[in-house]
Amino acid sequence: CLPGTRTEILDTIIKWATGSQLPANPPFYLHQLDQHKHVAWLCGVAGSGKSSIAMSVALAAHASGMLGAYYRFSTVNQAQLNPSTLFSTIACQLASQNRKTEEQLVSIVKNCDRLTQQSTNPLQQLNTFVLPLLNSNNSSTGQPHTIIIIDAVDESGSIGMRQGILQCLAELESKIPHSVRVLVTSRYELDVQDAVHPSLHTAILLMDQIPHDSTEQDIRLYIHHMLDHVITSPNSTRSQEQLTQLALKSEESFQWASTA
């Protein structure tokens, strides 16, 4: 995220993910988030800034040494980034954190039969490769948090293709240790709504509940940051008011503002 934008939601998610103290009186759209939650779903329409928030959280987690894995689905690269590679990739990223975890994953793979090693089933990958690593490295309450970020689940494929990973992600809360945090972003599609519900260990954060004035101000900052050089150039015929009008026309979409 551009510095100064989405500060409230970004700061709160980072504090939740890293186990820091959360605000005593959070705004309505963040009230579900507390340190008893293991999983947080950040949902919103295309262009609302979900991926930028996810990347900012990933950078903060990496800086603090807590980033376990980051995976972003993409419609332009579904051949490689799809449900069949999600948990195997996360397992490899977790294993790269230290020699002990790497050796553990090697041992797991060696002890699997050929069919399990080559499985593209998300649930089998999760149970065989990812959960043993998480439970082994985060069993002690003194361990720092491990943060896993899965971005743009709605871009993982068709409704049928993503059914398996939605089932896995919906069940994660009961399978991962308390010291692990999982941030998932997605559009709030019907299949997501059917699969994931607010619960004791899962929070759902809806971007469309962010106050309109806050989003408009963030987009205005973004547009001025990107186009201020146009206004200040000697031969410019543009004005600050025109940039403000551009922000208003974006209708709360960072993607529209970026394209425009």
Side-chain angles (χ1 to χ4, degrees), residues 119-157:
S119 173
T120 59
N121 180 281
L123 184 59
Q124 187 170 27
Q125 290 182 1
L126 174 65
N127 289 331
T128 305
F129 304 120
V130 176
L131 291 179
L133 300 183
L134 291 178
N135 285 297
S136 172
N137 293 319
N138 291 275
S139 57
S140 170
T141 56
Q143 289 285 340
H145 288 272
T146 297
I147 302 167
I148 296 173
I149 298 170
I150 304 172
D151 187 25
V153 166
D154 53 285
E155 296 187 22
S156 63

PDB file of all heavy atoms in Angstrom, residues 119-157:
ATOM      1  N   SER A 119       0.772 -36.248  -5.806  1.00  0.00           N
ATOM      2  CA  SER A 119      -0.645 -35.902  -5.687  1.00  0.00           C
ATOM      3  C   SER A 119      -0.884 -34.413  -5.947  1.00  0.00           C
ATOM      4  O   SER A 119      -0.107 -33.558  -5.524  1.00  0.00           O
ATOM      5  CB  SER A 119      -1.158 -36.255  -4.289  1.00  0.00           C
ATOM      6  OG  SER A 119      -2.483 -35.776  -4.111  1.00  0.00           O
ATOM      7  N   THR A 120      -1.965 -34.122  -6.658  1.00  0.00           N
ATOM      8  CA  THR A 120      -2.387 -32.734  -6.883  1.00  0.00           C
ATOM      9  C   THR A 120      -3.638 -32.410  -6.067  1.00  0.00           C
ATOM     10  O   THR A 120      -4.237 -31.359  -6.251  1.00  0.00           O
ATOM     11  CB  THR A 120      -2.685 -32.496  -8.378  1.00  0.00           C
ATOM     12  OG1 THR A 120      -3.720 -33.405  -8.814  1.00  0.00           O
ATOM     13  CG2 THR A 120      -1.441 -32.688  -9.218  1.00  0.00           C
ATOM     14  N   ASN A 121      -4.010 -33.321  -5.169  1.00  0.00           N
ATOM     15  CA  ASN A 121      -5.187 -33.113  -4.326  1.00  0.00           C
ATOM     16  C   ASN A 121      -4.842 -32.147  -3.190  1.00  0.00           C
ATOM     17  O   ASN A 121      -3.954 -32.441  -2.381  1.00  0.00           O
ATOM     18  CB  ASN A 121      -5.646 -34.458  -3.753  1.00  0.00           C
ATOM     19  CG  ASN A 121      -6.870 -34.314  -2.872  1.00  0.00           C
ATOM     20  OD1 ASN A 121      -6.764 -33.908  -1.721  1.00  0.00           O
ATOM     21  ND2 ASN A 121      -8.034 -34.641  -3.422  1.00  0.00           N
ATOM     22  N   PRO A 122      -5.508 -30.993  -3.108  1.00  0.00           N
ATOM     23  CA  PRO A 122      -5.153 -29.997  -2.085  1.00  0.00           C
ATOM     24  C   PRO A 122      -5.221 -30.531  -0.659  1.00  0.00           C
ATOM     25  O   PRO A 122      -4.327 -30.255   0.154  1.00  0.00           O
ATOM     26  CB  PRO A 122      -6.175 -28.880  -2.314  1.00  0.00           C
ATOM     27  CG  PRO A 122      -6.585 -29.014  -3.740  1.00  0.00           C
ATOM     28  CD  PRO A 122      -6.571 -30.492  -4.003  1.00  0.00           C
ATOM     29  N   LEU A 123      -6.270 -31.299  -0.343  1.00  0.00           N
ATOM     30  CA  LEU A 123      -6.419 -31.798   1.021  1.00  0.00           C
ATOM     31  C   LEU A 123      -5.298 -32.765   1.380  1.00  0.00           C
ATOM     32  O   LEU A 123      -4.756 -32.728   2.494  1.00  0.00           O
ATOM     33  CB  LEU A 123      -7.784 -32.483   1.184  1.00  0.00           C
ATOM     34  CG  LEU A 123      -8.123 -32.983   2.593  1.00  0.00           C
ATOM     35  CD1 LEU A 123      -8.111 -31.819   3.585  1.00  0.00           C
ATOM     36  CD2 LEU A 123      -9.477 -33.674   2.599  1.00  0.00           C
ATOM     37  N   GLN A 124      -4.921 -33.622   0.436  1.00  0.00           N
ATOM     38  CA  GLN A 124      -3.832 -34.565   0.703  1.00  0.00           C
ATOM     39  C   GLN A 124      -2.508 -33.828   0.871  1.00  0.00           C
ATOM     40  O   GLN A 124      -1.707 -34.165   1.750  1.00  0.00           O
ATOM     41  CB  GLN A 124      -3.722 -35.588  -0.435  1.00  0.00           C
ATOM     42  CG  GLN A 124      -2.727 -36.707  -0.141  1.00  0.00           C
ATOM     43  CD  GLN A 124      -2.807 -37.828  -1.151  1.00  0.00           C
ATOM     44  OE1 GLN A 124      -3.190 -37.628  -2.297  1.00  0.00           O
ATOM     45  NE2 GLN A 124      -2.455 -39.041  -0.746  1.00  0.00           N
ATOM     46  N   GLN A 125      -2.265 -32.812   0.045  1.00  0.00           N
ATOM     47  CA  GLN A 125      -1.043 -32.008   0.191  1.00  0.00           C
ATOM     48  C   GLN A 125      -1.006 -31.304   1.539  1.00  0.00           C
ATOM     49  O   GLN A 125       0.030 -31.260   2.217  1.00  0.00           O
ATOM     50  CB  GLN A 125      -0.961 -30.976  -0.938  1.00  0.00           C
ATOM     51  CG  GLN A 125      -0.687 -31.546  -2.308  1.00  0.00           C
ATOM     52  CD  GLN A 125      -0.581 -30.462  -3.363  1.00  0.00           C
ATOM     53  OE1 GLN A 125      -0.695 -29.284  -3.067  1.00  0.00           O
ATOM     54  NE2 GLN A 125      -0.371 -30.869  -4.604  1.00  0.00           N
ATOM     55  N   LEU A 126      -2.134 -30.733   1.935  1.00  0.00           N
ATOM     56  CA  LEU A 126      -2.212 -30.020   3.209  1.00  0.00           C
ATOM     57  C   LEU A 126      -1.914 -30.955   4.373  1.00  0.00           C
ATOM     58  O   LEU A 126      -1.071 -30.644   5.233  1.00  0.00           O
ATOM     59  CB  LEU A 126      -3.604 -29.403   3.372  1.00  0.00           C
ATOM     60  CG  LEU A 126      -3.912 -28.739   4.729  1.00  0.00           C
ATOM     61  CD1 LEU A 126      -3.029 -27.530   4.944  1.00  0.00           C
ATOM     62  CD2 LEU A 126      -5.388 -28.349   4.814  1.00  0.00           C
ATOM     63  N   ASN A 127      -2.579 -32.095   4.404  1.00  0.00           N
ATOM     64  CA  ASN A 127      -2.422 -33.017   5.530  1.00  0.00           C
ATOM     65  C   ASN A 127      -1.059 -33.696   5.551  1.00  0.00           C
ATOM     66  O   ASN A 127      -0.506 -33.961   6.627  1.00  0.00           O
ATOM     67  CB  ASN A 127      -3.516 -34.085   5.486  1.00  0.00           C
ATOM     68  CG  ASN A 127      -4.888 -33.520   5.830  1.00  0.00           C
ATOM     69  OD1 ASN A 127      -5.003 -32.553   6.571  1.00  0.00           O
ATOM     70  ND2 ASN A 127      -5.928 -34.117   5.272  1.00  0.00           N
ATOM     71  N   THR A 128      -0.505 -33.961   4.370  1.00  0.00           N
ATOM     72  CA  THR A 128       0.753 -34.711   4.295  1.00  0.00           C
ATOM     73  C   THR A 128       1.976 -33.827   4.477  1.00  0.00           C
ATOM     74  O   THR A 128       2.932 -34.211   5.171  1.00  0.00           O
ATOM     75  CB  THR A 128       0.859 -35.451   2.943  1.00  0.00           C
ATOM     76  OG1 THR A 128      -0.286 -36.280   2.764  1.00  0.00           O
ATOM     77  CG2 THR A 128       2.118 -36.304   2.900  1.00  0.00           C
ATOM     78  N   PHE A 129       1.973 -32.667   3.866  1.00  0.00           N
ATOM     79  CA  PHE A 129       3.187 -31.848   3.819  1.00  0.00           C
ATOM     80  C   PHE A 129       3.148 -30.598   4.703  1.00  0.00           C
ATOM     81  O   PHE A 129       4.132 -30.279   5.371  1.00  0.00           O
ATOM     82  CB  PHE A 129       3.466 -31.435   2.369  1.00  0.00           C
ATOM     83  CG  PHE A 129       3.569 -32.579   1.414  1.00  0.00           C
ATOM     84  CD1 PHE A 129       2.716 -32.692   0.331  1.00  0.00           C
ATOM     85  CD2 PHE A 129       4.512 -33.575   1.604  1.00  0.00           C
ATOM     86  CE1 PHE A 129       2.800 -33.755  -0.553  1.00  0.00           C
ATOM     87  CE2 PHE A 129       4.617 -34.652   0.734  1.00  0.00           C
ATOM     88  CZ  PHE A 129       3.753 -34.750  -0.355  1.00  0.00           C
ATOM     89  N   VAL A 130       2.027 -29.880   4.705  1.00  0.00           N
ATOM     90  CA  VAL A 130       1.991 -28.577   5.386  1.00  0.00           C
ATOM     91  C   VAL A 130       1.742 -28.707   6.885  1.00  0.00           C
ATOM     92  O   VAL A 130       2.497 -28.161   7.701  1.00  0.00           O
ATOM     93  CB  VAL A 130       0.923 -27.660   4.750  1.00  0.00           C
ATOM     94  CG1 VAL A 130       0.821 -26.347   5.526  1.00  0.00           C
ATOM     95  CG2 VAL A 130       1.274 -27.380   3.290  1.00  0.00           C
ATOM     96  N   LEU A 131       0.700 -29.410   7.274  1.00  0.00           N
ATOM     97  CA  LEU A 131       0.335 -29.469   8.693  1.00  0.00           C
ATOM     98  C   LEU A 131       1.427 -30.068   9.578  1.00  0.00           C
ATOM     99  O   LEU A 131       1.670 -29.555  10.684  1.00  0.00           O
ATOM    100  CB  LEU A 131      -0.980 -30.233   8.865  1.00  0.00           C
ATOM    101  CG  LEU A 131      -2.215 -29.507   8.315  1.00  0.00           C
ATOM    102  CD1 LEU A 131      -3.465 -30.366   8.510  1.00  0.00           C
ATOM    103  CD2 LEU A 131      -2.403 -28.150   8.982  1.00  0.00           C
ATOM    104  N   PRO A 132       2.132 -31.135   9.151  1.00  0.00           N
ATOM    105  CA  PRO A 132       3.215 -31.633  10.002  1.00  0.00           C
ATOM    106  C   PRO A 132       4.303 -30.582  10.253  1.00  0.00           C
ATOM    107  O   PRO A 132       4.851 -30.510  11.360  1.00  0.00           O
ATOM    108  CB  PRO A 132       3.769 -32.821   9.201  1.00  0.00           C
ATOM    109  CG  PRO A 132       2.611 -33.292   8.401  1.00  0.00           C
ATOM    110  CD  PRO A 132       1.885 -32.043   8.004  1.00  0.00           C
ATOM    111  N   LEU A 133       4.614 -29.780   9.239  1.00  0.00           N
ATOM    112  CA  LEU A 133       5.625 -28.741   9.420  1.00  0.00           C
ATOM    113  C   LEU A 133       5.137 -27.668  10.395  1.00  0.00           C
ATOM    114  O   LEU A 133       5.884 -27.224  11.270  1.00  0.00           O
ATOM    115  CB  LEU A 133       5.963 -28.092   8.073  1.00  0.00           C
ATOM    116  CG  LEU A 133       6.531 -29.004   6.976  1.00  0.00           C
ATOM    117  CD1 LEU A 133       6.875 -28.181   5.741  1.00  0.00           C
ATOM    118  CD2 LEU A 133       7.759 -29.760   7.470  1.00  0.00           C
ATOM    119  N   LEU A 134       3.893 -27.263  10.240  1.00  0.00           N
ATOM    120  CA  LEU A 134       3.347 -26.217  11.115  1.00  0.00           C
ATOM    121  C   LEU A 134       3.259 -26.698  12.559  1.00  0.00           C
ATOM    122  O   LEU A 134       3.631 -25.970  13.489  1.00  0.00           O
ATOM    123  CB  LEU A 134       1.964 -25.778  10.617  1.00  0.00           C
ATOM    124  CG  LEU A 134       1.922 -25.016   9.292  1.00  0.00           C
ATOM    125  CD1 LEU A 134       0.475 -24.707   8.916  1.00  0.00           C
ATOM    126  CD2 LEU A 134       2.726 -23.722   9.377  1.00  0.00           C
ATOM    127  N   ASN A 135       2.760 -27.889  12.749  1.00  0.00           N
ATOM    128  CA  ASN A 135       2.578 -28.394  14.109  1.00  0.00           C
ATOM    129  C   ASN A 135       3.906 -28.704  14.789  1.00  0.00           C
ATOM    130  O   ASN A 135       4.026 -28.580  16.007  1.00  0.00           O
ATOM    131  CB  ASN A 135       1.688 -29.643  14.088  1.00  0.00           C
ATOM    132  CG  ASN A 135       0.227 -29.297  13.866  1.00  0.00           C
ATOM    133  OD1 ASN A 135      -0.392 -28.625  14.680  1.00  0.00           O
ATOM    134  ND2 ASN A 135      -0.324 -29.735  12.752  1.00  0.00           N
ATOM    135  N   SER A 136       4.913 -29.067  14.007  1.00  0.00           N
ATOM    136  CA  SER A 136       6.216 -29.350  14.581  1.00  0.00           C
ATOM    137  C   SER A 136       6.942 -28.081  14.994  1.00  0.00           C
ATOM    138  O   SER A 136       7.523 -28.000  16.068  1.00  0.00           O
ATOM    139  CB  SER A 136       7.074 -30.117  13.570  1.00  0.00           C
ATOM    140  OG  SER A 136       8.395 -30.247  14.041  1.00  0.00           O
ATOM    141  N   ASN A 137       6.871 -27.045  14.150  1.00  0.00           N
ATOM    142  CA  ASN A 137       7.645 -25.832  14.396  1.00  0.00           C
ATOM    143  C   ASN A 137       6.921 -24.804  15.235  1.00  0.00           C
ATOM    144  O   ASN A 137       7.497 -23.781  15.602  1.00  0.00           O
ATOM    145  CB  ASN A 137       8.041 -25.191  13.059  1.00  0.00           C
ATOM    146  CG  ASN A 137       9.007 -26.061  12.296  1.00  0.00           C
ATOM    147  OD1 ASN A 137       9.919 -26.635  12.867  1.00  0.00           O
ATOM    148  ND2 ASN A 137       8.789 -26.193  10.992  1.00  0.00           N
ATOM    149  N   ASN A 138       5.638 -25.025  15.523  1.00  0.00           N
ATOM    150  CA  ASN A 138       4.883 -24.035  16.286  1.00  0.00           C
ATOM    151  C   ASN A 138       4.170 -24.670  17.478  1.00  0.00           C
ATOM    152  O   ASN A 138       3.180 -24.161  17.959  1.00  0.00           O
ATOM    153  CB  ASN A 138       3.836 -23.369  15.380  1.00  0.00           C
ATOM    154  CG  ASN A 138       4.478 -22.484  14.325  1.00  0.00           C
ATOM    155  OD1 ASN A 138       4.784 -21.326  14.573  1.00  0.00           O
ATOM    156  ND2 ASN A 138       4.677 -23.034  13.142  1.00  0.00           N
ATOM    157  N   SER A 139       4.706 -25.790  17.963  1.00  0.00           N
ATOM    158  CA  SER A 139       4.050 -26.482  19.065  1.00  0.00           C
ATOM    159  C   SER A 139       4.254 -25.776  20.391  1.00  0.00           C
ATOM    160  O   SER A 139       3.435 -25.871  21.302  1.00  0.00           O
ATOM    161  CB  SER A 139       4.573 -27.910  19.160  1.00  0.00           C
ATOM    162  OG  SER A 139       5.983 -27.921  19.313  1.00  0.00           O
ATOM    163  N   SER A 140       5.347 -25.048  20.536  1.00  0.00           N
ATOM    164  CA  SER A 140       5.633 -24.355  21.781  1.00  0.00           C
ATOM    165  C   SER A 140       4.969 -22.981  21.793  1.00  0.00           C
ATOM    166  O   SER A 140       4.984 -22.245  20.814  1.00  0.00           O
ATOM    167  CB  SER A 140       7.151 -24.181  21.949  1.00  0.00           C
ATOM    168  OG  SER A 140       7.443 -23.321  23.030  1.00  0.00           O
ATOM    169  N   THR A 141       4.386 -22.622  22.946  1.00  0.00           N
ATOM    170  CA  THR A 141       3.734 -21.313  23.057  1.00  0.00           C
ATOM    171  C   THR A 141       4.741 -20.174  22.994  1.00  0.00           C
ATOM    172  O   THR A 141       4.374 -19.024  22.777  1.00  0.00           O
ATOM    173  CB  THR A 141       2.951 -21.218  24.376  1.00  0.00           C
ATOM    174  OG1 THR A 141       3.842 -21.486  25.470  1.00  0.00           O
ATOM    175  CG2 THR A 141       1.815 -22.222  24.399  1.00  0.00           C
ATOM    176  N   GLY A 142       6.033 -20.502  23.191  1.00  0.00           N
ATOM    177  CA  GLY A 142       7.042 -19.457  23.142  1.00  0.00           C
ATOM    178  C   GLY A 142       7.509 -19.138  21.729  1.00  0.00           C
ATOM    179  O   GLY A 142       8.256 -18.185  21.520  1.00  0.00           O
ATOM    180  N   GLN A 143       7.074 -19.931  20.757  1.00  0.00           N
ATOM    181  CA  GLN A 143       7.497 -19.704  19.383  1.00  0.00           C
ATOM    182  C   GLN A 143       6.846 -18.447  18.816  1.00  0.00           C
ATOM    183  O   GLN A 143       5.690 -18.144  19.125  1.00  0.00           O
ATOM    184  CB  GLN A 143       7.116 -20.896  18.514  1.00  0.00           C
ATOM    185  CG  GLN A 143       7.928 -22.158  18.781  1.00  0.00           C
ATOM    186  CD  GLN A 143       9.326 -22.082  18.210  1.00  0.00           C
ATOM    187  OE1 GLN A 143       9.600 -21.290  17.316  1.00  0.00           O
ATOM    188  NE2 GLN A 143      10.228 -22.882  18.735  1.00  0.00           N
ATOM    189  N   PRO A 144       7.551 -17.697  17.986  1.00  0.00           N
ATOM    190  CA  PRO A 144       6.928 -16.549  17.321  1.00  0.00           C
ATOM    191  C   PRO A 144       5.879 -17.014  16.325  1.00  0.00           C
ATOM    192  O   PRO A 144       5.861 -18.174  15.920  1.00  0.00           O
ATOM    193  CB  PRO A 144       8.101 -15.866  16.608  1.00  0.00           C
ATOM    194  CG  PRO A 144       9.093 -16.961  16.410  1.00  0.00           C
ATOM    195  CD  PRO A 144       8.956 -17.860  17.602  1.00  0.00           C
ATOM    196  N   HIS A 145       5.010 -16.116  15.951  1.00  0.00           N
ATOM    197  CA  HIS A 145       3.954 -16.448  15.006  1.00  0.00           C
ATOM    198  C   HIS A 145       4.528 -16.750  13.624  1.00  0.00           C
ATOM    199  O   HIS A 145       5.488 -16.131  13.179  1.00  0.00           O
ATOM    200  CB  HIS A 145       2.974 -15.284  14.896  1.00  0.00           C
ATOM    201  CG  HIS A 145       2.108 -15.121  16.100  1.00  0.00           C
ATOM    202  ND1 HIS A 145       0.914 -15.761  16.254  1.00  0.00           N
ATOM    203  CD2 HIS A 145       2.280 -14.401  17.230  1.00  0.00           C
ATOM    204  CE1 HIS A 145       0.380 -15.434  17.414  1.00  0.00           C
ATOM    205  NE2 HIS A 145       1.194 -14.616  18.029  1.00  0.00           N
ATOM    206  N   THR A 146       3.942 -17.698  12.958  1.00  0.00           N
ATOM    207  CA  THR A 146       4.212 -17.980  11.555  1.00  0.00           C
ATOM    208  C   THR A 146       3.032 -17.461  10.755  1.00  0.00           C
ATOM    209  O   THR A 146       1.882 -17.803  11.049  1.00  0.00           O
ATOM    210  CB  THR A 146       4.379 -19.486  11.310  1.00  0.00           C
ATOM    211  OG1 THR A 146       5.515 -19.959  12.038  1.00  0.00           O
ATOM    212  CG2 THR A 146       4.566 -19.770   9.829  1.00  0.00           C
ATOM    213  N   ILE A 147       3.299 -16.630   9.759  1.00  0.00           N
ATOM    214  CA  ILE A 147       2.236 -15.987   8.992  1.00  0.00           C
ATOM    215  C   ILE A 147       2.232 -16.545   7.573  1.00  0.00           C
ATOM    216  O   ILE A 147       3.251 -16.537   6.887  1.00  0.00           O
ATOM    217  CB  ILE A 147       2.432 -14.457   8.961  1.00  0.00           C
ATOM    218  CG1 ILE A 147       2.471 -13.902  10.384  1.00  0.00           C
ATOM    219  CG2 ILE A 147       1.327 -13.786   8.144  1.00  0.00           C
ATOM    220  CD1 ILE A 147       2.972 -12.477  10.468  1.00  0.00           C
ATOM    221  N   ILE A 148       1.063 -17.031   7.156  1.00  0.00           N
ATOM    222  CA  ILE A 148       0.874 -17.538   5.801  1.00  0.00           C
ATOM    223  C   ILE A 148      -0.154 -16.658   5.108  1.00  0.00           C
ATOM    224  O   ILE A 148      -1.227 -16.387   5.663  1.00  0.00           O
ATOM    225  CB  ILE A 148       0.398 -18.997   5.816  1.00  0.00           C
ATOM    226  CG1 ILE A 148       1.486 -19.889   6.440  1.00  0.00           C
ATOM    227  CG2 ILE A 148       0.048 -19.480   4.412  1.00  0.00           C
ATOM    228  CD1 ILE A 148       1.038 -21.320   6.645  1.00  0.00           C
ATOM    229  N   ILE A 149       0.167 -16.209   3.904  1.00  0.00           N
ATOM    230  CA  ILE A 149      -0.729 -15.323   3.167  1.00  0.00           C
ATOM    231  C   ILE A 149      -1.083 -15.976   1.834  1.00  0.00           C
ATOM    232  O   ILE A 149      -0.199 -16.387   1.075  1.00  0.00           O
ATOM    233  CB  ILE A 149      -0.072 -13.953   2.926  1.00  0.00           C
ATOM    234  CG1 ILE A 149       0.214 -13.282   4.286  1.00  0.00           C
ATOM    235  CG2 ILE A 149      -0.963 -13.056   2.060  1.00  0.00           C
ATOM    236  CD1 ILE A 149       1.061 -12.040   4.192  1.00  0.00           C
ATOM    237  N   ILE A 150      -2.375 -16.094   1.583  1.00  0.00           N
ATOM    238  CA  ILE A 150      -2.884 -16.673   0.333  1.00  0.00           C
ATOM    239  C   ILE A 150      -3.758 -15.609  -0.314  1.00  0.00           C
ATOM    240  O   ILE A 150      -4.839 -15.291   0.186  1.00  0.00           O
ATOM    241  CB  ILE A 150      -3.671 -17.960   0.596  1.00  0.00           C
ATOM    242  CG1 ILE A 150      -2.797 -18.973   1.358  1.00  0.00           C
ATOM    243  CG2 ILE A 150      -4.171 -18.558  -0.721  1.00  0.00           C
ATOM    244  CD1 ILE A 150      -3.552 -20.193   1.836  1.00  0.00           C
ATOM    245  N   ASP A 151      -3.297 -15.076  -1.426  1.00  0.00           N
ATOM    246  CA  ASP A 151      -3.944 -13.919  -2.047  1.00  0.00           C
ATOM    247  C   ASP A 151      -4.727 -14.319  -3.306  1.00  0.00           C
ATOM    248  O   ASP A 151      -4.287 -15.164  -4.080  1.00  0.00           O
ATOM    249  CB  ASP A 151      -2.862 -12.884  -2.409  1.00  0.00           C
ATOM    250  CG  ASP A 151      -3.442 -11.581  -2.913  1.00  0.00           C
ATOM    251  OD1 ASP A 151      -4.592 -11.257  -2.575  1.00  0.00           O
ATOM    252  OD2 ASP A 151      -2.729 -10.872  -3.656  1.00  0.00           O
ATOM    253  N   ALA A 152      -5.879 -13.691  -3.465  1.00  0.00           N
ATOM    254  CA  ALA A 152      -6.696 -13.812  -4.681  1.00  0.00           C
ATOM    255  C   ALA A 152      -7.190 -15.233  -4.935  1.00  0.00           C
ATOM    256  O   ALA A 152      -7.061 -15.780  -6.034  1.00  0.00           O
ATOM    257  CB  ALA A 152      -5.921 -13.295  -5.901  1.00  0.00           C
ATOM    258  N   VAL A 153      -7.805 -15.834  -3.936  1.00  0.00           N
ATOM    259  CA  VAL A 153      -8.339 -17.195  -4.085  1.00  0.00           C
ATOM    260  C   VAL A 153      -9.368 -17.265  -5.210  1.00  0.00           C
ATOM    261  O   VAL A 153      -9.475 -18.279  -5.906  1.00  0.00           O
ATOM    262  CB  VAL A 153      -8.959 -17.671  -2.754  1.00  0.00           C
ATOM    263  CG1 VAL A 153      -9.802 -18.916  -2.950  1.00  0.00           C
ATOM    264  CG2 VAL A 153      -7.861 -17.944  -1.733  1.00  0.00           C
ATOM    265  N   ASP A 154     -10.106 -16.186  -5.422  1.00  0.00           N
ATOM    266  CA  ASP A 154     -11.123 -16.181  -6.479  1.00  0.00           C
ATOM    267  C   ASP A 154     -10.515 -16.297  -7.877  1.00  0.00           C
ATOM    268  O   ASP A 154     -11.220 -16.617  -8.835  1.00  0.00           O
ATOM    269  CB  ASP A 154     -11.974 -14.908  -6.399  1.00  0.00           C
ATOM    270  CG  ASP A 154     -11.124 -13.649  -6.395  1.00  0.00           C
ATOM    271  OD1 ASP A 154     -10.520 -13.350  -5.350  1.00  0.00           O
ATOM    272  OD2 ASP A 154     -11.048 -12.967  -7.434  1.00  0.00           O
ATOM    273  N   GLU A 155      -9.203 -16.056  -8.009  1.00  0.00           N
ATOM    274  CA  GLU A 155      -8.526 -16.177  -9.297  1.00  0.00           C
ATOM    275  C   GLU A 155      -7.866 -17.539  -9.483  1.00  0.00           C
ATOM    276  O   GLU A 155      -7.101 -17.742 -10.432  1.00  0.00           O
ATOM    277  CB  GLU A 155      -7.478 -15.065  -9.446  1.00  0.00           C
ATOM    278  CG  GLU A 155      -8.075 -13.657  -9.476  1.00  0.00           C
ATOM    279  CD  GLU A 155      -7.045 -12.581  -9.805  1.00  0.00           C
ATOM    280  OE1 GLU A 155      -6.006 -12.925 -10.403  1.00  0.00           O
ATOM    281  OE2 GLU A 155      -7.283 -11.417  -9.458  1.00  0.00           O
ATOM    282  N   SER A 156      -8.160 -18.472  -8.590  1.00  0.00           N
ATOM    283  CA  SER A 156      -7.511 -19.786  -8.659  1.00  0.00           C
ATOM    284  C   SER A 156      -8.127 -20.688  -9.715  1.00  0.00           C
ATOM    285  O   SER A 156      -7.566 -21.741 -10.031  1.00  0.00           O
ATOM    286  CB  SER A 156      -7.587 -20.481  -7.294  1.00  0.00           C
ATOM    287  OG  SER A 156      -8.934 -20.722  -6.919  1.00  0.00           O
ATOM    288  N   GLY A 157      -9.262 -20.303 -10.262  1.00  0.00           N
ATOM    289  CA  GLY A 157      -9.903 -21.113 -11.292  1.00  0.00           C
ATOM    290  C   GLY A 157     -11.409 -21.016 -11.192  1.00  0.00           C
ATOM    291  O   GLY A 157     -11.958 -20.156 -10.493  1.00  0.00           O
TER     292      GLY A 157
END
